[in-house]
Amino acid sequence: MKGKILIVDDQFGIRILLNEVFQKEGYSTFQAANGIQALDIVKKHSPDLVLLDMKIPGMDGIEILKRMKIIDPEIRVIIMTAYGELDMIQEAKDLGAITHFAKPFDIDDIRGAVKIYADRSQGV
């Protein structure tokens, strides 16, 4: 069985797209539209990898990342940002994000990164 992936994005279309791609690849997927949902899923399901959008109304990506790391210091997080958010990218990396993708992203690039990071946590 492949790993568990949590997709955190307030944009429904992006969640559906990523969900479909990774389910087809054989991963278990979870979706969250905001920080509260995301943290709840992290507590209940311990995902192997999180795809986290930085621009989320309410609790932003940095705050969500900080709180995820408190729940699970080993959690692997890939962040998604709009172009030009360099400060946010650096802060997220300082907090332990493993890599980032700028939107609009190439789905094959994300698929490749997920394969590397989600499978690595499975000991593959």
Side-chain angles (χ1 to χ4, degrees):
M1 181 63 198
K2 288 195 173 183
K4 295 181 282 191
I5 298 175
L6 168 57
I7 300 152
V8 187
D9 200 308
D10 62 315
Q11 290 178 276
F12 180 73
I14 290 177
R15 286 201 315 274
I16 293 300
L17 169 72
L18 292 170
N19 193 55
E20 205 170 278
V21 166
F22 294 118
Q23 280 190 342
K24 276 187 189 147
E25 302 260 325
Y27 296 97
S28 298
T29 57
F30 302 92
Q31 296 179 53
N34 58 50
I36 307 284
Q37 290 175 1
L39 295 169
D40 193 47
I41 291 167
V42 169
K43 284 178 192 155
K44 287 184 179 151
H45 300 285
S46 303
D48 299 298
L49 186 66
V50 180
L51 297 173
L52 174 61
D53 186 41
M54 288 281 105
K55 287 282 194 212
I56 294 183
M59 195 188 305
D60 72 5
I62 293 291
E63 187 59 33
I64 296 169
L65 177 56
K66 284 179 184 167
R67 294 186 189 196
M68 282 181 179
K69 287 286 188 179
I70 292 167
I71 297 165
D72 177 2
E74 300 300 307
I75 198 161
R76 294 166 179 269
V77 180
I78 292 176
I79 59 167
M80 301 180 289
T81 63
Y83 279 106
E85 293 173 355
L86 296 176
D87 294 350
M88 209 173 226
I89 292 167
Q90 190 53 55
E91 188 176 354
K93 288 193 170 172
D94 292 345
L95 289 167
I98 44 185
T99 189
H100 77 278
F101 287 92
K103 290 180 169 182
F105 47 73
D106 180 321
I107 198 69
D108 289 327
D109 291 346
I110 287 205
R111 190 187 280 138
V114 165
K115 195 171 172 52
I116 292 165
Y117 295 113
D119 293 352
R120 187 186 299 166
S121 66
Q122 296 295 301
V124 173

